[in-house]
Amino acid sequence: MKLYGQDVASRLLIGTALYPSPAVMEEAIRASGAEIVTVSLRREAGGGKAGDAFWKIISSLGLKVLPNTAGCRTVRDAVTTAAMARELFGTPWVKLEVIGDDETLQPDVVGLVEAAEILIRDGFEVFPYCTEDLTVIGRLIDVGCQVVMPWASPIGSAKGLLNPYLLKTLRARFPDVPMIIDAGLGAPSHAAEALEMGFDAVLLNTAIAKAADPVAMARAFRLAVEAGRLGFEAGLMEQRDFASPSTPVVGRPFWHAAS
């Protein structure tokens, strides 16, 4: 898949927060096969031993970094944070978050579009974290977003794809725009379902980092993403309301009772 002109082989993007240790994070990233990791400016900019260990891992793995504006609740905060992230991480990529509700962490979609337009004019390559709203995503594309990241369900909820009907409609409406399902995935089956629908990739953090065995869970998500994409490319059979025999009726064996 191509994201802002860059080839990316892995369709699994993962976050770098909440792991029990840097060593576990490194092993989980390796097991996931991910090429892109998200990084919070607030968490990594402070330096010190934890920050040094983090950057040593990222450098050794040769990963692409996707800074995010996590925790920003206004357009001004998001734009300012993105500018600092570009300077610190040396990339025009930014995962844009403008949070509008403290309980659900649902994006402020009005502020999101405004911030995206400002950042794109300033040369950023924006990955907007948004809801599955068709109109909002259409406006994000109109202002120049070449990738969009609709949620499956609220961040950290592990509820999976709450609105598969609208997600399928969204995928069909914008077939040529790379779409990454972001937030709310809790099980490898959720990731497989998203890829089977035709979404290009998934991004998750908590489901791996907080698992009893993060490394094994990272491997499970990797396999699920690969299986989901292969299923989509192979062509899934359509669902039916009635049974359809897999064994042909014509020519089936039958027996007469003895007279």
Side-chain angles (χ1 to χ4, degrees), residues 66-115:
L66 177 60
N68 65 39
T69 62
C72 292
R73 286 168 169 75
T74 67
V75 172
R76 181 178 179 180
D77 283 350
V79 170
T80 301
T81 301
M84 291 190 292
R86 180 167 61 180
E87 183 176 348
L88 179 65
F89 300 120
T91 176
W93 281 12
V94 63
K95 178 188 169 187
L96 180 61
E97 299 182 28
V98 183
I99 301 302
D101 181 78
D102 289 338
E103 291 188 10
T104 64
L105 299 180
Q106 178 168 321
D108 172 358
V109 294
V110 176
L112 183 69
V113 174
E114 181 181 347

Side-chain angles (χ1 to χ4, degrees), residues 4-117:
Y4 285 103
Q6 295 195 40
D7 291 322
V8 181
S10 173
R11 296 178 183 272
L12 175 60
L13 291 68
I14 62 175
T16 54
L18 305 176
Y19 289 91
S21 71
V24 172
M25 181 190 72
E26 178 179 7
E27 195 174 353
I29 291 173
R30 290 184 184 278
S32 74
E35 298 172 49
I36 300 173
V37 294
T38 58
V39 179
S40 169
L41 177 66
R42 287 170 172 79
R43 189 169 66 84
E44 301 303 340
K49 292 183 179 180
D52 291 343
F54 173 84
W55 284 115
K56 184 177 180 180
I57 291 170
I58 299 302
S59 298
S60 69
L61 295 176
L63 301 171
K64 294 181 174 67
V65 173
L66 177 60
N68 65 39
T69 62
C72 292
R73 286 168 169 75
T74 67
V75 172
R76 181 178 179 180
D77 283 350
V79 170
T80 301
T81 301
M84 291 190 292
R86 180 167 61 180
E87 183 176 348
L88 179 65
F89 300 120
T91 176
W93 281 12
V94 63
K95 178 188 169 187
L96 180 61
E97 299 182 28
V98 183
I99 301 302
D101 181 78
D102 289 338
E103 291 188 10
T104 64
L105 299 180
Q106 178 168 321
D108 172 358
V109 294
V110 176
L112 183 69
V113 174
E114 181 181 347
E117 186 170 15

